[in-house]
Amino acid sequence: IQKRHREELKENRDRLNARKKRTHHLIVRGTIAESFIDNAEDMTDEEFREELEKALNYKETVIIDPVTD
């Protein structure tokens, strides 16, 4: 029983650490994205998305598949 409990605690710690790592990753990436958009902190999520798409030329971007091209 103790062994199983230790395994469960380790699994819980691993999940928590993975979630913390992902959260940190998203915060860092979001901060980088916001640095390219003026007044990003004052925008709604939808406004930010639209401005980010413009900044990245999202609709005009052609994705090249390196395997087939």
Side-chain angles (χ1 to χ4, degrees):
I1 293 177
Q2 286 181 347
K3 182 179 178 183
R4 179 65 194 142
H5 183 63
R6 281 193 303 270
E7 290 171 358
E8 288 175 359
L9 289 174
K10 183 185 180 321
E11 289 171 6
N12 289 341
R13 268 194 314 273
D14 291 346
R15 276 195 299 273
L16 177 62
N17 287 335
R19 191 169 61 243
K20 285 182 177 184
K21 183 178 177 182
R22 171 127 173 93
T23 299
H24 176 75
H25 174 82
L26 292 172
I27 290 168
V28 169
R29 295 280 174 107
T31 301
I32 292 168
E34 281 189 342
S35 73
F36 290 97
I37 308 295
D38 291 334
N39 301 317
E41 62 278 354
D42 299 326
M43 295 179 180
T44 65
D45 289 344
E46 186 57 34
E47 290 169 336
F48 179 74
R49 173 192 268 283
E50 290 170 7
E51 291 301 315
L52 185 59
E53 285 178 355
K54 287 180 200 173
L56 297 174
N57 296 317
Y58 180 79
K59 297 190 190 265
E60 290 122 35
T61 301
V62 176
I63 299 173
I64 299 172
D65 185 351
V67 175
T68 60
D69 291 337

